[in-house]
Amino acid sequence: MTEKKGRDIGLGVPIPEKTCDDKNCPFHGNLSVRGQIITGEVVSDKMQKTVVVKREYLYYIPKYERYEKRTSKYMAHCPPCLDVKVGDKVKIGECRPISKGVSFVVIQKLEGEKR
């Protein structure tokens, strides 16, 4: 019988190979992910277990009938089982508030830096 390395969070994302003992990990702890799922790029990883994710989107201006590019930054909890660095594309999911500014958690690393 094969032993699972974590629990399935139900969003079609793979369970990480590494394990961790973080209570705020959606795979190895007891944090539930519900609400928005956002894809973005990591722009800062200087905090402990927290990364800043930047998302770019287009906003329509009716007067000029054109789009403008806008950005938003989200602070997200990063479990130790996911090795996320600056420049990585990640998928983050909404969860309960972990701290004053953190209400998202990293659930998948999509691709790494191309340097």
Side-chain angles (χ1 to χ4, degrees):
M1 196 177 210
T2 60
E3 185 179 324
K4 270 190 155 180
K5 295 181 181 175
R7 68 184 176 109
D8 184 21
I9 60 173
L11 298 172
V13 296
I15 299 170
E17 296 294 322
K18 289 175 62 179
T19 59
C20 67
D21 56 353
D22 186 10
K23 65 177 184 172
N24 289 325
C25 177
F27 302 102
H28 305 109
N30 53 10
L31 185 72
S32 64
V33 178
R34 73 282 192 281
Q36 299 181 55
I37 305 295
I38 297 170
T39 304
E41 180 182 352
V42 176
V43 292
S44 175
D45 62 351
K46 294 182 180 180
M47 293 175 276
Q48 295 177 3
K49 296 185 180 179
T50 304
V51 294
V52 178
V53 178
K54 182 175 78 171
R55 179 186 88 136
E56 290 187 350
Y57 60 95
L58 297 175
Y59 179 75
Y60 184 69
I61 309 295
K63 178 180 177 181
Y64 300 108
E65 298 180 355
R66 284 170 172 73
Y67 291 91
E68 71 179 8
K69 194 180 287 187
R70 291 189 176 182
T71 61
S72 294
K73 288 185 179 179
Y74 300 92
M75 286 196 288
H77 178 74
C78 184
C81 58
L82 297 169
D83 293 324
V84 176
K85 302 286 182 222
V86 174
D88 291 344
K89 298 270 190 206
V90 294
K91 189 183 287 189
I92 60 175
E94 191 175 7
C95 61
R96 65 169 176 79
I98 296 173
S99 68
K100 180 181 177 181
V102 179
S103 292
F104 286 87
V105 63
V106 177
I107 56 175
Q108 185 180 12
K109 179 179 174 180
L110 297 174
E111 59 186 46
E113 204 172 40
K114 296 205 163 87
R115 289 185 192 172

